[in-house]
Amino acid sequence: MSKFVPVTAQQPAKESVSLGGVSETALLTLNARAQAARWPEPPIDDPLAIALVDSIDYDFAKFGRARQDTALRARLFDIETLSYLAGHPDATVVALAEGLQTSFWRLDAAIPDAQFPWLTVDFPEIVDLRARLLPVSPRASTRAQSALDYSWMDSVDPSRGVFITAEGLLMYLQPEQALGLISQCAKRFPGGRMMFDLPPALFARLGRRGLRTSRRYRVPPLSFSLSAPQAARLASLPGVREVYDLRLPPGRGRVFNAWVSLIYRARFLRALRPCLTVLEFG
């Protein structure tokens, strides 16, 4: 009589990933969203981020404890993009330096019969990684280049509206590069909008050589920052019609929400307040 041997389903091999420098922050923010999405009553619904982390062979623990403000930042970008798409349903969304964001699929799930085309602009190694790891959509295209190579603008039809996201990008640029990118977008896409974020002023000052998130990881140096009042002065740039100052949406936990409320109300804590800005182009 032969012995019964149970058959165990073979787990698919994980994808080996190796990134360095600023590109590695794509894994940092992916992990932060995925960990937040796993919580009960999560601050963001991002099942694809969870699936991505589970499919990648990488030492995510080196980044240290994941903070929910990264997930809340992504949720705020979703909220503002959805707001623009409500009035421009077939507008093009351009995601600059998108990394391993899963924004397209979150927004696609949120809009019945979604029509908006999506353009990812990022370095070749990130575009290749996205092609290997993420689902394919006929409405999503990529340009394997730096956001500072403005030729990506030639592939965008501005007639139906444009919403440009620069999530986690400008802080790593030199000031003249960041302001030049904003000016070019304002010039090329009248009627469009651009959303960006920058770290709190105190973090930016401390992060000139890179901030540690753990004993094993240091974020690349932060080169550019603006306070909310400084961002408001971007309205003086040609083509910028309005500047909107935003705040993080509510997160998980009373203590966290009380702290966020305090840094937006107390003047002496302004240096701890992130810059979250939407520019409307005239």
Side-chain angles (χ1 to χ4, degrees):
M1 184 176 180
S2 62
K3 184 177 179 181
F4 173 74
V5 179
V7 177
T8 303
Q10 186 176 2
Q11 296 295 321
K14 291 192 173 185
E15 186 82 23
S16 180
V17 173
S18 178
L19 294 173
V22 174
S23 292
E24 193 174 17
T25 63
L27 295 165
L28 169 69
T29 55
L30 168 65
N31 183 60
R33 294 196 325 277
Q35 297 310 317
R38 295 183 199 268
W39 296 345
E41 301 180 8
I44 191 169
D45 182 18
D46 202 342
L48 185 52
I50 296 173
L52 271 180
V53 166
D54 291 344
S55 70
I56 293 174
D57 181 13
Y58 184 83
D59 180 17
F60 287 102
K62 69 181 267 187
F63 294 132
R65 184 179 178 182
R67 305 197 325 259
Q68 67 172 311
D69 57 328
T70 300
L72 291 172
R73 179 185 74 177
R75 195 171 111 202
L76 183 60
F77 271 80
D78 286 358
I79 290 169
E80 293 302 316
T81 308
L82 285 169
S83 176
Y84 186 79
L85 289 172
H88 308 79
D90 54 355
T92 301
V93 180
V94 181
L96 301 178
E98 189 174 15
L100 290 173
Q101 295 287 350
T102 50
S103 314
F104 171 80
W105 292 274
R106 293 195 305 269
L107 297 175
D108 193 50
I111 302 175
D113 302 318
Q115 305 170 44
F116 62 91
W118 187 278
L119 175 63
T120 296
V121 180
D122 214 323
F123 292 129
E125 62 266 28
I126 295 292
V127 168
D128 175 69
L129 193 57
R130 290 179 65 85
R132 285 190 282 138
L133 296 176
L134 289 167
V136 175
S137 169
R139 298 198 337 269
S141 58
T142 59
R143 292 287 296 255
Q145 62 189 81
S146 166
L148 299 177
D149 174 358
Y150 299 149
S151 64
W152 61 262
M153 297 182 181
D154 299 331
S155 64
V156 179
D157 177 7
S159 64
R160 296 175 296 177
V162 181
F163 192 90
I164 302 164
T165 67
E167 185 175 354
L169 167 62
L170 299 190
M171 63 192 75
Y172 298 116
L173 302 181
Q174 295 300 314
E176 64 275 12
Q177 294 174 323
L179 295 173
L181 176 60
I182 291 171
S183 294
Q184 283 296 316
C185 289
K187 177 182 178 180
R188 292 290 298 270
F189 304 115
R193 291 189 177 189
M194 180 179 189
M195 182 172 180
F196 65 85
D197 67 290
L198 290 165
L202 178 60
F203 288 11
R205 288 198 295 270
L206 296 175
R208 299 303 183 202
R209 296 183 179 180
L211 289 170
R212 285 200 174 276
T213 63
S214 75
R215 293 168 66 181
R216 295 195 290 139
Y217 183 73
R218 186 190 296 272
V219 175
L222 306 178
S223 303
F224 180 62
S225 66
L226 293 173
S227 64
Q230 288 172 330
R233 292 199 284 271
L234 293 175
S236 64
L237 292 177
V240 177
R241 181 166 58 193
E242 193 67 63
V243 179
Y244 300 96
D245 178 36
L246 309 177
R247 61 176 290 171
L248 284 175
R252 183 173 178 266
R254 293 182 182 177
V255 173
F256 175 84
N257 288 324
W259 170 248
V260 171
S261 178
L262 182 61
I263 64 173
Y264 278 93
R265 287 187 292 109
R267 304 187 85 183
F268 68 95
L269 292 176
R270 281 183 176 176
L272 297 176
R273 174 185 169 182
C275 178
L276 300 161
T277 303
V278 170
L279 306 177
E280 182 176 337
F281 301 143

